[in-house]
Amino acid sequence: MPDEVTLTIDGKQITVPKGTLVIEAAKKLGIDIPVFCYHTKLEPVGACRQCLVKIEGFPKPQVSCSTQVAEGMVVHVNTPEVKQMWESMLEFLLINHPLDCPVCDRGGECPLQDNTFKYGPPDSRFEHEKRHFEKPVPLSSLVLLDRERCILCFRCVRFQREIADQPDIYVANRGYGDYIDIFPGKPFESNFSGNTIELCPVGALLSSLFRFRARPWEITKTESICPNCGVGCNITIDDRRRRYVVRFLARINDEVNEHWLCDRGRFNSHTINDPDRLVKPLVRKNGELQEATWEEALTVALEGMRAAGSHAGGIGSPARTNEANYLFQKFMRQVIGTNNVDYTFEKRTDGSTGALASAIASVFFNGRISDIAESDAILCLGSDISYDLPLLDLWIKKAVRKLGKNLVFAYPLKAELAKYARPFLSYHYGQEAEFTRELASAVSGTSWQPLAGVRMEDIDLASEVLKSANYVTVMVAKSMIESAENGRDVLKSLQWIADSLKSRNVRVQVMLLVQGANTFGAMDVGLLPGYLPGYKPADKGLTGWEMLEKAGSDISALWIMGQNPARDLFHTEAFTAALQKLDMLVVQDHILTETARYAHVVLPSSTFAETEGTFTNTERRIQRINPAIRRVGNSKADTDIIIEAASLAGADFNYSKVEEILTEISNTVPQYQGVTFDAIGPFGRYLGDLK
Amino acid sequence: MIGELIKGLGVTIKHALTSKRVTIEYPEQKRTLGPRARWRHVLLRHEDGLERCIGCSLCAGACPARCILVEAAENREGARYSPGERYAKVYEINMLRCIFCGYCQDACPVEAIILRPIYEISEYTRDAEIYTKDMLLMPYPNPQTEDLGNTNA
């Protein structure tokens, strides 16, 4: 075949696609070549010269990380000559690299250290004083630079330039005087800056939060999922002595987050290690919250909730596991006897929840994150993705910048992604329905009038871009459907767009962008007013917003799991007043939040780092989280709290393991059929196309 | 039979009267230890009083009994404990677990920890057997010879 090339490496023949790098071909044969600057996701530069190999026909050694394969190429790797070159390169790099491994955070997991042990010289011949610089230099409040240790592989600069497209750091000076620096007066503010720390093959870039907190060999690693947004990035929780979390690292999952994490997720261990974590249940006695036993607290909570009966309400959380949310709605519906359950207290327009639920149940949202880069055009509606779901921002940048795909970006404000859009459609706030109808009319060829503040030619250009593509990804924020005025019309217009495109033989995938790590899961497991698990219709109930609105009248008792309405961005005062009108407020959380201060009973629960369970992300990929550290004090997992409360109430909640709850979910929710911990596996299981 | 008994008792009495005594009247009298006896750890200081230990945790990494806990922190202006950037904020050794192998001393890159012939480390509680940094660290400014243990006592 013309697109394939056969070459010989160390006497072994291999056929690889044209354009493959020698180092990648060698990797396929299992031949190890030491590298520093080379990284699978970055463009090759050949900066460190460590990966030298001998290629027949070339008079001098070649860098295998930036040499492409050629037909009949003969490469020698495991020869004394090449080994000698590697050793010399390492000795050269170590001339200026300090041997302060004992105090370096990287010592123990350092590629330079590992390669030196494997291929390097046994001793140093360098007798002079090494370079000295001020250290560490803060590039931002999170990233510190130790210039002495830098070996100038430029991975950090290349990541910021190629992947994040936020070139806040650069290489200053030339040659021997090279160093990494920020621009004067402009700190390293990229929201992906933490990735440079992980990419750094030495201890030059350091995390200010992890610095000196643990040595790599003292760390226990637990595979988990980041709970901070709907993407569900795969992470490892690194903890010390099963007591506290020292850092989060990215876990490679090429279908979700590739190798990356955003800073919001990466540097978020402080709430787990909070010294003010709740360790005992609290019950309000004589107007003050006082420590109590679990039995006492749960008895008081149950009494209050059951007294309210159908006037009770339960608000779960999009940041808690499927298992906790499932049990929570079951407990509310069966034990307390109320239909008022919700996972959020966002304001939603009438009927939007139902419209969304039926759209989800009919598998309208079938998008896959990894297909974003495959599609020719991306239509992104109503979400500042760079802020809401940062990792999807990287996927879009990859599609637009690296693969030349088209982005149609619609958002009222000029968000970061606007500069990649062709066209950028800035509609007016509150006119989402009009705007999407205009776009749908343009795509379907129906006549329309510009009402939403977007120029006609921009909408026409957008519809041309969408129509001329073979594969279109439509991404729509859940808030655009649920919170916007006439959100149901947004959904209708979207269905119209999808249908018109499909009738032109354009492949369409639609993604619902949700903000919580488990918003999708909370809806799936029936924590919705009016819907049972699997979107089966049930008796109507109040939404979270309505429950707070009607507190004191229609609602006399509330059980809030893992949410903090008293610190809501826009409605703090109204919510605080509402919470004070309740006869019974039960708050289940890991710290004494603003909401918990108004509670009658506070139940200390575990964070995600202490919990076993599953999250369902924005593409409906179910992924596992695992407990990394021991539970703090007398706190309990959400599921255990609900099971205990239910059994105190005399209900039959017999689960001895979290997996049994998941089994029940998979038997109840049709979309989760056959899902078990084993079936989910380390990289999650995509369920978006299941009815 | 009585003859054998007397004969045997005779041997015992002979040894009791003639051989050298091996019992030592501890604690009035203390045994002389070998020159390389390894007992309790001591954390050393530089001449200017700064701690040698840089909190690198290599001792804990080398420890086969996992009895050392080090938590490091950064030296700051006005609160300098050791030369360089890093010092040990917490340094604890569980003496009940320690097997006195001396690997920590071997692993230490700055020769901060040494095992000295200080063998009087009995305590009444388990908690008291966790030796903290201030118990292990050499006193400053007036170190005494017994702080390092004496091999000829």
Side-chain angles (χ1 to χ4, degrees):
Chain A
M1 273 210 290
D3 287 345
E4 293 204 322
V5 173
T6 305
L7 72 159
T8 316
I9 305 174
D10 275 356
K12 289 178 212 160
Q13 276 211 340
I14 184 168
T15 308
V16 289
K18 211 172 180 177
T20 307
L21 300 169
V22 172
I23 194 164
E24 283 163 2
K27 203 195 269 172
K28 275 190 186 162
L29 282 172
I31 297 168
D32 183 36
I33 299 174
V35 289
F36 296 113
C37 70
Y38 168 79
H39 189 276
T40 36
K41 296 286 173 191
L42 300 174
E43 295 292 322
V45 290
C48 72
R49 319 306 286 180
Q50 182 58 50
C51 62
L52 292 169
V53 293
K54 185 85 191 130
I55 300 175
E56 276 180 20
F58 286 95
K60 288 183 174 177
Q62 297 295 311
V63 276
S64 59
C65 76
S66 32
T67 310
Q68 292 186 0
V69 292
E71 187 61 44
M73 193 182 247
V74 181
V75 183
H76 299 288
V77 179
N78 284 311
T79 62
E81 191 193 351
V82 171
K83 289 274 158 79
Q84 178 57 46
M85 294 189 294
W86 291 351
E87 189 180 311
S88 307
M89 267 326 296
L90 280 161
E91 189 177 14
F92 176 64
L93 290 173
L94 289 171
I95 280 180
N96 280 322
H97 188 88
L99 296 182
D100 62 350
C101 304
V103 291
C104 174
D105 275 344
R106 262 299 202 199
E109 53 174 17
C110 171
L112 180 59
Q113 208 178 29
D114 294 346
N115 283 333
T116 307
F117 267 92
K118 217 166 167 186
Y119 305 109
D123 227 327
S124 174
R125 290 181 292 168
F126 188 72
E127 305 173 332
H128 308 279
E129 187 71 16
K130 295 193 182 196
R131 293 186 301 181
H132 288 295
F133 299 113
E134 183 203 339
K135 65 188 207 171
V137 184
L139 297 184
S140 71
S141 58
L142 297 168
V143 185
L144 308 172
L145 171 66
D146 189 320
R147 277 175 58 191
E148 288 177 11
R149 293 183 190 142
C150 180
I151 59 165
L152 300 169
C153 69
F154 310 138
R155 275 188 185 187
C156 47
V157 176
R158 283 150 65 210
F159 169 81
Q160 289 301 131
R161 207 179 278 164
E162 293 168 20
I163 310 282
D165 195 27
Q166 294 163 332
D168 292 353
I169 49 174
Y170 75 113
V171 187
N173 286 349
R174 288 291 174 272
Y176 178 81
D178 271 5
Y179 64 92
I180 309 297
D181 203 359
I182 46 178
F183 294 97
K186 195 176 172 299
F188 189 15
E189 273 174 344
S190 161
N191 49 347
F192 297 102
S193 65
N195 291 306
T196 59
I197 300 167
E198 204 170 328
L199 280 171
C200 185
V202 291
L205 289 170
L206 305 162
S207 152
S208 64
L209 301 184
F210 177 66
R211 191 157 173 266
F212 298 161
R213 292 210 58 192
R215 305 309 308 269
W217 58 84
E218 298 168 334
I219 283 171
T220 332
K221 289 181 179 290
T222 311
E223 295 184 352
S224 192
I225 301 299
C226 175
N228 282 292
C229 80
V231 180
C233 295
N234 291 218
I235 58 167
T236 54
I237 304 176
D238 284 10
D239 69 84
R240 233 185 128 179
R241 299 188 291 142
R242 298 279 180 208
R243 298 265 168 88
Y244 55 89
V245 175
V246 291
R247 65 176 174 188
F248 299 135
L249 290 182
R251 184 156 58 90
I252 299 170
N253 185 341
D254 277 336
E255 295 190 324
V256 181
N257 58 319
E258 298 192 298
H259 293 236
W260 322 122
L261 280 186
C262 69
D263 285 2
R264 178 150 52 111
R266 181 185 299 270
F267 298 112
N268 188 44
S269 50
H270 55 275
T271 141
I272 301 164
N273 300 331
D274 196 323
D276 297 329
R277 283 280 300 269
L278 289 170
V279 292
K280 273 185 177 166
L282 304 173
V283 174
R284 192 170 291 279
K285 290 176 197 158
N286 308 324
E288 282 200 24
L289 285 173
Q290 288 173 6
E291 289 187 353
T293 62
W294 270 103
E295 207 179 334
E296 191 187 345
L298 286 175
T299 315
V300 175
L302 267 178
E303 235 168 64
M305 294 300 288
R306 289 178 115 183
S310 60
H311 294 288
I315 303 179
S317 167
R320 302 293 158 127
T321 59
N322 283 321
E323 290 75 9
N325 281 331
Y326 173 79
L327 277 194
F328 187 72
Q329 62 87 22
K330 188 176 172 183
F331 172 74
M332 282 298 154
R333 287 187 161 123
Q334 294 185 1
V335 181
I336 307 296
T338 174
N339 289 317
N340 308 326
V341 289
D342 204 349
Y343 63 89
T344 173
F345 50 85
E346 282 164 17
K347 188 172 186 178
R348 285 178 287 192
T349 43
D350 287 342
S352 62
T353 314
L356 186 65
S358 52
I360 294 172
S362 64
V363 203
F364 178 60
F365 302 106
N366 60 347
R368 287 188 82 130
I369 291 173
S370 54
D371 272 14
I372 293 172
E374 310 266 308
S375 51
D376 310 298
I378 303 157
L379 171 61
C380 179
L381 297 166
S383 172
D384 178 3
I385 289 196
S386 319
Y387 180 78
D388 293 342
L389 302 153
L391 252 290
L392 295 191
D393 160 276
L394 290 189
W395 277 99
I396 291 174
K397 281 174 182 166
K398 176 179 166 185
V400 175
R401 297 180 68 237
K402 203 169 172 185
L403 306 169
K405 308 298 172 71
N406 278 317
L407 172 69
V408 178
F409 184 67
Y411 192 66
L413 300 175
K414 197 160 187 204
E416 195 192 331
L417 281 179
K419 70 175 175 191
Y420 306 99
R422 199 185 71 102
F424 165 53
L425 309 171
S426 172
Y427 58 84
H428 288 165
Y429 263 123
Q431 291 185 312
E432 289 83 0
E434 286 83 354
F435 163 67
T436 40
R437 199 181 318 119
E438 284 164 22
L439 187 61
S441 309
V443 171
S444 67
T446 325
S447 64
W448 54 282
Q449 288 297 316
L451 295 169
V454 185
R455 288 188 307 166
M456 255 180 133
E457 53 263 44
D458 283 345
I459 289 209
D460 282 335
L461 176 60
S463 80
E464 279 315 308
V465 166
L466 297 178
K467 281 191 283 191
S468 59
N470 291 319
Y471 189 4
V472 172
T473 298
V474 180
M475 302 162 100
V476 57
K478 188 172 79 73
S479 60
M480 197 167 181
I481 296 171
E482 281 201 325
S483 309
E485 203 94 6
N486 301 321
R488 292 172 72 172
D489 295 345
V490 173
L491 193 59
K492 268 185 212 149
S493 305
L494 277 179
Q495 278 155 340
W496 192 9
I497 293 175
D499 290 340
S500 337
L501 288 174
K502 276 175 196 159
S503 68
R504 302 177 69 99
N505 285 329
V506 179
R507 206 174 141 205
V508 180
Q509 66 156 354
V510 187
M511 276 178 71
L512 182 68
L513 303 179
V514 296
Q515 291 206 13
N518 199 29
T519 307
F520 221 124
M523 294 192 287
D524 284 343
V525 299
L527 195 62
L528 266 181
Y531 289 92
L532 294 175
Y535 304 100
K536 289 183 205 91
D539 294 336
K540 218 173 154 347
L542 298 178
T543 65
W545 173 271
E546 289 163 342
M547 285 183 233
L548 287 166
E549 216 173 36
K550 293 182 179 164
S553 57
D554 233 13
I555 294 290
S556 56
L558 256 187
W559 189 311
I560 298 179
M561 176 173 82
Q563 293 242 42
N564 192 5
R567 216 193 56 186
D568 182 85
L569 200 55
F570 303 111
H571 309 102
T572 299
E573 275 174 39
F575 285 168
T576 314
L579 294 173
Q580 280 164 313
K581 285 185 215 154
L582 294 164
D583 295 335
M584 171 56 63
L585 174 61
V586 185
V587 174
Q588 194 172 318
D589 217 323
H590 67 281
I591 47 172
L592 196 68
T593 57
E594 286 82 352
T595 306
R597 284 176 220 276
Y598 297 105
H600 300 95
V601 179
V602 182
L603 305 171
S605 68
S606 307
T607 62
F608 85 105
E610 296 129 62
T611 311
E612 194 178 14
T614 56
F615 281 159
T616 307
N617 78 353
T618 191
E619 61 165 355
R620 201 193 263 159
R621 173 184 295 272
I622 187 166
Q623 306 189 98
R624 277 184 74 174
I625 61 165
N626 293 301
I629 55 170
R630 288 185 213 160
R631 284 182 193 156
V632 178
N634 270 337
S635 67
K636 286 186 181 188
D638 294 308
T639 46
D640 291 345
I641 294 172
I642 299 163
I643 291 169
E644 207 159 304
S647 65
L648 259 180
D652 184 30
F653 274 37
N654 273 329
Y655 307 97
S656 55
K657 281 187 296 186
V658 176
E659 183 151 20
E660 289 172 14
I661 307 169
L662 185 64
T663 311
E664 193 174 308
I665 294 173
S666 69
N667 290 334
T668 329
V669 182
Q671 291 88 348
Y672 286 49
Q673 216 166 30
V675 170
T676 59
F677 277 166
D678 286 342
I680 290 170
F683 301 116
R685 190 168 159 185
Y686 176 69
L687 304 170
D689 48 5
L690 294 181
K691 212 162 188 163
Chain B
M1 188 191 135
I2 294 177
E4 275 89 27
L5 272 180
I6 292 169
K7 197 174 163 191
L9 200 59
V11 174
T12 310
I13 292 167
K14 191 178 99 194
H15 277 279
L17 292 177
T18 57
S19 33
K20 205 181 145 206
R21 275 176 67 175
V22 288
T23 318
I24 289 174
E25 292 294 332
Y26 182 83
E28 288 80 21
Q29 211 183 345
K30 287 177 183 172
R31 184 185 289 280
T32 310
L33 296 180
R36 289 201 236 161
R38 295 192 302 257
W39 289 103
R40 207 202 83 182
H41 317 70
V42 174
L43 287 173
L44 299 178
R45 288 180 189 271
H46 288 284
E47 274 172 21
D48 57 0
L50 286 177
E51 294 160 17
R52 295 191 77 102
C53 177
I54 51 169
C56 71
S57 246
L58 283 168
C59 46
C63 179
R66 291 274 171 271
C67 68
I68 307 180
L69 170 74
V70 185
E71 277 177 16
E74 189 180 7
N75 281 312
R76 295 190 183 276
E77 285 295 315
R80 173 161 290 283
Y81 296 87
S82 69
E85 298 170 272
R86 182 176 177 139
Y87 77 99
K89 193 173 78 182
V90 174
Y91 196 107
E92 290 177 2
I93 301 181
N94 185 340
M95 288 296 168
L96 286 176
R97 281 202 184 177
C98 179
I99 57 168
F100 307 98
C101 64
Y103 281 12
C104 46
Q105 182 175 345
D106 227 24
C108 186
V110 286
E111 293 170 12
I113 190 167
I114 52 170
L115 275 71
R116 294 298 300 166
I118 309 169
Y119 53 81
E120 290 172 322
I121 48 177
S122 310
E123 306 282 353
Y124 286 103
T125 62
R126 283 170 185 273
D127 280 352
E129 287 287 3
I130 294 171
Y131 277 38
T132 52
K133 187 178 157 193
D134 43 318
M135 297 158 84
L136 297 165
L137 198 61
M138 278 292 280
Y140 186 80
N142 296 311
Q144 305 293 317
T145 25
E146 60 261 33
D147 292 330
L148 273 175
N150 195 343
T151 41
N152 304 316

